[in-house]
Amino acid sequence: MSDNQSFVTVGDWVTGHSINDELFTGFVEAVNAKLNTVKVYVTESDHKNTVGKTIETFQSKIKYFPPSVEPSKAHLLNLIDLSLISGDKDWFLQLTEDLKELDELESESSTAYIPQ
């Protein structure tokens, strides 16, 4: 990785350790390429006080946490809540589009042909 280049972007899920050595999982809210730090909204942690807060840590202390291959409706609804909390309009719009597509797929697959 060269200077001023990050391997994560806003919205990516990551796991790692805070500067206080707390283990956490969350999503990236901001990247500071000059300082090689990221701000992460914590969704899970071994320190309960950290959950629901934004922390800043060094990029070297985190790793990319790939999302599940097929998101469920409940998973998308949770992510939509997180996008609203973080104020990320683009992420919100993408997630609501994904939810709409998932609803359409579910309604198509549940519509079975019933002979008369």
Side-chain angles (χ1 to χ4, degrees):
M1 180 167 51
S2 64
D3 290 344
N4 297 333
Q5 186 178 7
S6 173
F7 71 93
V8 293
T9 59
V10 172
D12 283 349
W13 284 88
V14 295
T15 188
H17 290 87
S18 70
I19 57 173
N20 297 322
D21 206 32
E22 300 165 321
L23 180 63
F24 68 86
T25 299
F27 62 91
V28 177
E29 287 188 330
V31 177
N32 185 330
K34 285 185 178 183
L35 298 176
N36 287 322
T37 61
V38 291
K39 288 187 178 180
V40 178
Y41 181 87
V42 177
T43 59
E44 295 181 49
S45 177
D46 60 351
H47 288 82
K48 292 182 182 182
N49 304 11
T50 307
V51 175
K53 296 181 180 172
T54 300
I55 63 168
E56 188 167 16
T57 192
F58 293 101
Q59 290 188 40
S60 61
K61 294 180 124 331
I62 63 168
K63 63 182 177 178
Y64 180 71
F65 189 74
S68 61
V69 175
E70 290 189 33
S72 67
K73 187 172 186 174
H75 180 74
L76 285 173
L77 290 171
N78 286 334
L79 291 177
I80 288 170
D81 286 345
L82 291 173
S83 70
L84 290 170
I85 290 168
S86 68
D88 190 330
K89 182 180 177 181
D90 292 334
W91 190 30
F92 171 80
L93 293 172
Q94 179 60 52
L95 290 168
T96 54
E97 184 63 30
D98 292 347
L99 182 61
K100 180 181 172 185
E101 290 174 9
L102 184 62
D103 283 343
E104 289 171 358
L105 285 173
E106 286 178 356
S107 70
E108 288 173 7
S109 65
S110 66
T111 308
Y113 174 71
I114 302 172
Q116 297 286 333

